[in-house]
Amino acid sequence: MSLSLIAFLVLVAAFAVGSFTKINAGLLATIAAFGVGTLLAGMSVKDVIGQFPAGLFFILVGATLLFAIVRINGTIDLLAYWAERLAGNRKVLVPILMFLLTAALASAGAFTPAAIAIVAPVGLALGMRFGISTLAMGLVIVQGANAGAFSPVNPFGVLGNKMLDAAGAGDDSLKLYAYCFIFNAILAVIAYVLVQAIMKRRATKTAARLGGDTAIHYDGGPASPATDGVGGSGTAVLTAPARTSVAGQHASGSAPVKVAATPMRILTLAGIASLLVLTTVLGMDVGVASLVIAGVLIILDSNVQKPALESMPWSAIILVTGIVTYVGMLEKMGALKELQEGIAGLGNSSLAALIASYVVAIVSAFASTTGTLGVISPVVAPIAMDPLLTPVGVVTAIAISSSVVDVSPMSTSGALLMASAQPKDERMFFRALLLWAIAMIGVVPLLAWFLFVQLGIG
């Protein structure tokens, strides 16, 4: 057995342990990098430390700190309040606004699970109020997070842009973002229409079987409009780990509770807008820009500093940087070069892109999408550099394939949606999410590959 194969198996083991236990796969990968690097590859400790992605670390810290401040100072509540006011009594606007709100948060730099955790209580409660299937609303929210996930300031987007840079197409970062946004927006529409139709037909059959005398809600059995969602099993939709003060008000049908547009919240929104301008127009480093804006907001209101630092997703930061450190060690010892040569041996870069798309889709359904992107990044570059293909097309196909399966109940995003299910519908919800994830694995990589690699969109 070659040293490279052993090194890859160790990484697979770290992913497996991280997926089925509470141990952080990034922490395991960091420790394994020193073990494999020094004991098997003959590297020095200094060489292994040199693989730590300092730039990526500062991007993750800056973006997540800024987003934590946005949540803590009530700017999220303000956005949710504006969304409900815009929706009014127009049912069709509810999923659109929740999609856009989640996409906006992800575009501003929030990890997709964090954006989902914030929006889900608001969106699902609004859905119950308007008679929208919880499953349909949940899928729309996840697709909204995925739509904004490849923004240049989002951790997913940062990893995607690293692939573009390695392929010599660093100027195409906005194209990557736009293509992923449009694809996920279309997928959200399909998911919403399909699930709503299925749930409505199911409710109609149930009503017919009961004689039509009982009101049936899409999400479950008989329920009283006055109590559904605010008592009994209906409270399950509010158990997601987000603290959004307006969420509990929607299900009762009362007018939305006003959230004041305080000077601090307005300044926070201005900070988010300036982050996008600084990074996409002026070319400032995402990590530096995020830290500067977060620092200004902390200076203006020092009370947010402690809770913001405590609520940052340090586990996710360790996961991403740990996996990337191990991948850097693999590259240093020459293991990635062997893998790249194996892919090149296929003799067809287009076929290699398709295989890579399916690999990331399957792995991401059970493991971290950020970690998966970190692992596949060095392998994608030589595929994307094929003159017969467009670099942004290859990276887009990989990006979409890796993130679209995040609805899997084994993933963080899927688990957040599982928390929304009423207890009596929990098994059905689990099966529905699992079937949707399987469908995404089977269909989306092929579709994304055909559109962006074969047709060369981009």
Side-chain angles (χ1 to χ4, degrees), residues 55-81:
L56 177 60
F57 173 78
F58 281 111
I59 289 173
L60 296 176
V61 169
T64 54
L65 175 61
L66 177 59
F67 175 73
I69 294 172
V70 170
R71 180 180 60 80
I72 289 167
N73 68 14
T75 304
I76 293 295
D77 290 343
L78 178 62
L79 291 173
Y81 168 68

Side-chain angles (χ1 to χ4, degrees), residues 364-401:
S364 294
F366 301 94
S368 162
T369 301
T370 47
T372 304
L373 287 172
V375 170
I376 203 68
S377 178
V379 179
V380 172
I383 300 174
M385 292 174 69
D386 189 315
L388 298 178
L389 307 177
T390 60
V392 69
V394 173
V395 174
T396 300
I398 297 292
I400 290 173
S401 299

Side-chain angles (χ1 to χ4, degrees), residues 67 70 76 79 100-111 114-116 118-119 154 272:
F67 175 73
V70 170
I76 293 295
L79 291 173
L100 292 176
L101 178 56
T102 318
L105 294 175
S107 298
F111 271 104
I116 292 167
I118 290 295
V119 177
N154 187 282
I272 294 173

Side-chain angles (χ1 to χ4, degrees), residues 31-185:
I31 297 171
F34 286 100
V36 174
T38 57
L39 298 179
L40 296 182
M43 297 169 59
S44 67
V45 172
K46 185 177 181 180
D47 286 338
V48 177
I49 292 176
Q51 307 312 309
F52 181 80
L56 177 60
F57 173 78
F58 281 111
I59 289 173
L60 296 176
V61 169
T64 54
L65 175 61
L66 177 59
F67 175 73
I69 294 172
V70 170
R71 180 180 60 80
I72 289 167
N73 68 14
T75 304
I76 293 295
D77 290 343
L78 178 62
L79 291 173
Y81 168 68
W82 285 347
E84 187 177 7
R85 286 290 302 273
L86 282 173
N89 292 318
R90 292 163 291 187
K91 177 179 177 178
V92 69
L93 286 182
V94 175
I96 295 174
L97 291 173
M98 292 303 102
F99 175 90
L100 292 176
L101 178 56
T102 318
L105 294 175
S107 298
F111 271 104
T112 53
I116 292 167
I118 290 295
V119 177
V122 178
L124 296 176
L126 273 175
M128 290 183 67
R129 172 184 167 188
F130 284 91
I132 298 173
S133 162
T134 303
L135 179 60
M137 184 63 76
L139 291 175
V140 166
I141 290 172
V142 171
Q143 295 310 136
N146 287 338
F150 287 91
S151 154
V153 300
N154 187 282
F156 283 14
V158 171
L159 293 171
N161 290 336
K162 284 184 63 179
M163 291 187 249
L164 289 176
D165 289 337
D171 294 337
D172 288 337
S173 60
L174 290 181
K175 283 187 178 181
L176 173 64
Y177 174 45
Y179 294 154
C180 291
F181 193 102
I182 294 170
F183 189 95
N184 280 285

Side-chain angles (χ1 to χ4, degrees), residues 61 64-73 264 291 293-312 314:
V61 169
T64 54
L65 175 61
L66 177 59
F67 175 73
I69 294 172
V70 170
R71 180 180 60 80
I72 289 167
N73 68 14
M264 192 64 200
L291 285 171
I293 296 170
V296 170
L297 294 176
I298 288 173
I299 291 172
L300 293 174
D301 182 7
S302 60
N303 292 327
V304 303
Q305 176 180 284
K306 188 173 185 294
L309 290 173
E310 290 176 348
S311 65
M312 286 174 62
W314 292 108

Side-chain angles (χ1 to χ4, degrees), residues 344-358:
L346 293 172
N348 188 324
S349 295
S350 178
L351 177 60
L354 177 61
I355 293 173
S357 296
Y358 270 107

Side-chain angles (χ1 to χ4, degrees), residues 196-216:
Q196 277 289 93
I198 292 173
M199 291 297 184
K200 185 174 183 179
R201 183 166 51 188
R202 180 181 175 219
T204 301
K205 288 181 178 179
T206 304
R209 188 169 62 248
L210 295 176
D213 294 328
T214 309
I216 304 293

